[in-house]
Amino acid sequence: MDSNVKGIHHITVCAAGAQEDVDFLTKVFGQRLIKQTVLFDGRYAHYHLYYANADAQPGSVYTTFPYRRVSGRQGSGQIQSTAYTVPKGTLKFWSDHLNRHKVKDEGIRERFGQCFIRFSHPSGLQLEVIEDSADNRRGWTTEEISADVTTRGFHGPVLSVREIPETERFFLEALGFRKTGVDGSFHRFEVGMGGAAKTVTLVHEPDRPAGSWTFGAGTAHHLALEMESDEKLAEQKALYEELGYTDCSEIKDRNYFHSIYCRCPGGILVECAATTPDGFAVDEPIDQLGTSLLLPPWFETRRPEIIAMLEPITIPESNRPVGSPTVAAPAVISDGGQPSSGLMPSRRAPVFMGGDGPRK
C-alpha cells in the first residue's frame, strides 16, 4: 500500500536533570543541541530540548523533557531504546569512548546482521550506536568525536511489546510499513526505501510488565513519523478512524511542525508530524540553533514567569558551529508556518502552576 509516512521525524523521551541531559548528549554522545524551548502541554514548566545531526534533519532529532518531578517505570508498551547509525568499523571507537566516560554499555551485539552497542543515558534511557555503511548524512563533531566516527542520525527505535500481531497490523495497515524480517524476538518493519531513519523494530517481550505512559524521568514518551503536509496529516487521521483507531488527536501546532497523536495497540504513543515551511529556523538563524531559550508566540507573554520556573542551564561552547557569533542574534518571533490545507492546528495557552522539581 502507499504510505503517508516518509520516515522517522523525531523521538521524544523524558530525562531527569536538564544540565545532566545537555552535558551527556552534547559532550559525551556528540549531538548538536538545536532547540531550547518548553513543554507545550501540562501544568508544570519543563524544558523541551532538541538534539540532532549537523544539518538538523528530521530522522536525527532526539527531543527530551527533563522531568525530575516524577520517575517513570520502564517496561513493555514503550520505546525500549533508540538506535543511531555510525560508520562500519567504528564500534571499537565507541566502546573506548564510552568506557573513557564511564558510561555503562552492554558490549558489541548483533541484530539483523548489524553490529551495535547499547548503553545508558544518566537517567536510565537506552541508546544504541549501530553500524550502517549506507548512511551518508552529516554528523555533528566535537573535540572527541570526529566526522569519520560520529553518529549520522537515527537508524530507528526498538519498541517493546507483549504481543506482536496487533502492533504489526497497526504499522502495516495504518502506517504503510512492510515487514522485512524476524531475528529471534525482534521483528523489523521498514517504510519507503528502508534503512536508516525508515526502520522500526519490535521486540517481543510477553512477560515484561507494562511501563508507564505518563511523563516520567528515565522513560521514552513517543515516536514521531514524518509526513509531508497538513493534508497528509488529515488523510492519516481519516485513515485511523476508518480502521477503528478512534483515539487520534486533533492536529496540534508545535511551532516547528504540526502533529497528530495516536496510541498504537501495543501501547506506544505514535505521532505523525509535518514540518512547517521554516522548520527549526522559524525563530532563530539556522547557524545559531539551540543558543537561546525560545517560546512559541502564544507563550511569549508569560516568558519571565516561565524562565523563573526552569532550572538554569549552560550550553557548551562546542555546541556552536565554528565561526558563529558568541552571542546569539535576537530571536525572530514568527507565528509559525500556516497550514496549506486551511486547517487550523490547535494551540494551548500556558497553564503552568509550578516548575520542574521532585514531587513532594
Side-chain angles (χ1 to χ4, degrees), residues 24 50 63 68 139 172 192 234 245 253 304 338 353:
F24 181 81
Y50 292 63
T63 90
R68 294 177 299 167
L172 296 179
Y245 301 112
D253 189 342
Q338 292 304 309
M353 57 181 289

Side-chain angles (χ1 to χ4, degrees), residues 27-28 93 97-98 100-101 141-146 149:
K27 295 180 179 180
V28 179
F93 164 83
H97 177 73
L98 294 169
R100 187 164 54 251
H101 286 276
T141 59
T142 69
E143 290 183 358
E144 295 185 39
I145 303 173
S146 56
V149 297

Side-chain angles (χ1 to χ4, degrees), residues 62-331:
Y62 190 71
T63 90
T64 67
F65 296 127
Y67 209 89
R68 294 177 299 167
R69 291 193 65 256
V70 180
S71 293
R73 183 182 65 255
Q74 293 186 356
S76 65
Q78 287 180 344
I79 299 171
Q80 183 184 94
S81 64
T82 301
Y84 286 75
T85 61
V86 293
K88 197 167 182 62
T90 61
L91 290 189
K92 175 63 164 59
F93 164 83
W94 280 99
S95 178
D96 292 344
H97 177 73
L98 294 169
N99 288 335
R100 187 164 54 251
H101 286 276
K102 297 180 172 56
V103 177
K104 181 181 178 181
D105 72 77
E106 299 179 5
I108 297 177
R109 300 160 66 184
E110 187 174 309
R111 185 171 63 234
F112 294 102
Q114 291 176 280
C115 292
F116 69 97
I117 297 174
R118 180 177 291 185
F119 57 95
S120 297
H121 180 287
S123 65
L125 294 160
Q126 299 297 293
L127 295 161
E128 297 176 6
V129 284
I130 186 167
E131 291 186 336
D132 187 337
S133 59
D135 191 352
N136 297 315
R137 290 174 293 175
R138 193 165 66 99
W140 188 243
T141 59
T142 69
E143 290 183 358
E144 295 185 39
I145 303 173
S146 56
D148 59 330
V149 297
T150 187
T151 62
R152 273 39 181 170
F154 298 138
H155 185 269
V158 178
L159 312 179
S160 174
V161 293
R162 290 171 62 92
E163 298 176 347
I164 292 292
E166 283 304 312
T167 302
E168 177 174 318
R169 175 173 176 259
F170 180 82
F171 276 92
L172 296 179
E173 297 184 14
L175 294 170
F177 280 69
R178 62 189 184 280
K179 190 167 189 175
T180 57
V182 178
D183 185 354
S185 60
F186 295 99
H187 299 244
R188 177 165 284 184
F189 300 83
E190 298 176 271
V191 71
M193 297 296 292
K198 298 181 185 296
T199 300
V200 170
T201 302
L202 303 185
V203 56
H204 186 208
E205 298 187 304
D207 300 320
R208 192 176 192 196
S212 53
W213 284 359
T214 57
F215 295 117
T219 55
H221 191 259
H222 65 265
L223 161 67
L225 302 173
E226 184 182 12
M227 293 189 176
E228 66 182 18
S229 65
D230 294 289
E231 288 91 346
K232 293 297 183 182
L233 293 180
E235 286 180 18
Q236 187 63 36
K237 181 174 172 61
L239 177 59
Y240 279 150
E241 293 171 351
E242 176 185 326
L243 293 172
Y245 301 112
T246 56
D247 63 342
C248 181
S249 73
E250 73 275 23
I251 298 177
K252 296 177 181 288
D253 189 342
R254 298 314 194 191
N255 204 28
Y256 314 110
F257 44 87
H258 298 153
S259 300
I260 57 174
Y261 299 80
C262 183
R263 197 170 292 278
C264 79
I268 295 94
L269 183 62
V270 177
E271 174 184 355
C272 293
T275 304
T276 58
D278 292 322
F280 295 117
V282 70
D283 50 9
E284 61 185 335
I286 196 72
D287 64 343
Q288 295 175 33
L289 295 178
T291 55
S292 302
L293 177 67
L294 300 166
L295 302 175
W298 57 100
F299 275 35
E300 277 295 338
T301 58
R302 302 277 295 276
R303 174 176 280 271
E305 179 186 354
I306 290 170
I307 290 176
M309 292 187 285
L310 295 171
E311 170 193 347
I313 57 174
T314 301
I315 306 304
E317 283 298 318
S318 60
N319 191 72
R320 299 179 186 278
V322 175
S324 70
T326 301
V327 178

